[in-house]
């Protein structure tokens, strides 16, 4: 079922990718790094139109710790199981670069909105064009480019 085909609670939410949906967006997060813990999860939780429903990481203990800290009800170690088992509308990919492409494509093929840390794929021939070519009429896909140095303590940021 495509994200745009799911039920509505009557309100409209504008996602940062420019897609308007009429429901609470159920989000799955792939990754358990400090970047997920310190930036993605707090940002998602602060948005009235988003609910982080599931988190997936390579280490279940890390995933469970983040889930407990951020009130996330479901924890997975297999991203395909998370995509298949959860009632997700959107997927945020914050995993090692070599895993981006298969995870992005699994989300796209499941009809989810997908937001991926850069780069979208390890190889240039696998990047956005493939995801965009498979996107349905109601899904949006994009890559995040953040200034990571701005998030580091001054003594750790490179000048």
């Amino acid at each position: 079922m495509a994200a745009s085909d799911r039920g509505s609670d009557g309100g409209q939410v504008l996602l940062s990718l420019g897609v308007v949906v009429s429901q609470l967006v159920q989000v799955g997060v792939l990754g358990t790094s400090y970047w997920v813990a310190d930036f993605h999860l707090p940002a998602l939780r602060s948005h009235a139109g988003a609910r982080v429903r599931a988190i997936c990481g390579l280490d279940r203990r890390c995933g469970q710790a983040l889930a407990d800290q951020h009130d996330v009800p479901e924890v997975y170690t297999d991203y395909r199981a998370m995509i298949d088992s959860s009632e997700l509308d959107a997927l945020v990919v914050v995993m090692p670069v070599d895993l981006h492409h298969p995870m992005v494509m699994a989300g796209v093929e499941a009809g989810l909105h997908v937001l991926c840390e850069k780069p979208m794929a390890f190889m240039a021939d696998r990047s956005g064009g493939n995801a965009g070519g498979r996107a349905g009429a109601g899904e949006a896909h994009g890559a995040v480019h953040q200034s990571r140095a701005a998030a580091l303590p001054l003594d750790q940021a490179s000048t």
Side-chain angles (χ1 to χ4, degrees):
M1 174 186 306
S4 59
D5 296 336
R6 294 195 175 112
S8 169
D9 68 2
Q12 284 197 337
V13 177
L14 178 62
L15 297 176
S16 62
L17 294 173
V19 175
V20 177
V21 293
S22 300
Q23 67 194 44
L24 183 65
V25 177
Q26 302 290 329
V27 181
V29 177
L30 299 176
T32 57
S33 69
Y34 82 92
W35 202 250
V36 171
D38 293 349
F39 298 98
H40 286 280
L41 289 173
L44 287 164
R45 290 189 65 213
S46 73
H47 196 295
R51 176 177 180 245
V52 180
R53 182 180 183 101
I55 190 164
C56 179
L58 302 176
D59 182 331
R60 184 165 187 83
R61 290 176 299 161
C62 290
Q64 190 62 58
L66 279 178
D68 292 344
Q69 181 182 0
H70 292 278
D71 299 319
V72 178
E74 299 173 25
V75 179
Y76 294 87
T77 57
D78 179 336
Y79 73 95
R80 288 181 183 95
M82 184 180 84
I83 291 170
D84 292 342
S85 298
S86 296
E87 293 292 324
L88 299 179
D89 301 304
L91 188 65
V92 177
V93 180
V94 191
M95 292 290 261
V97 174
D98 61 324
L99 299 176
H100 286 188
H101 183 260
M103 292 177 169
V104 166
M105 295 313 297
V108 168
E109 289 168 3
L112 303 179
H113 303 288
V114 180
L115 184 64
C116 181
E117 280 281 335
K118 69 171 190 71
M120 197 83 113
F122 191 63
M123 304 292 290
D125 64 340
R126 291 186 173 179
S127 63
N130 289 344
R134 293 186 185 179
E139 292 84 37
H141 308 104
V144 177
H145 180 91
Q146 299 153 333
S147 175
R148 291 180 186 237
L152 296 174
L154 291 177
D155 61 346
Q156 294 180 18
S158 61
T159 57

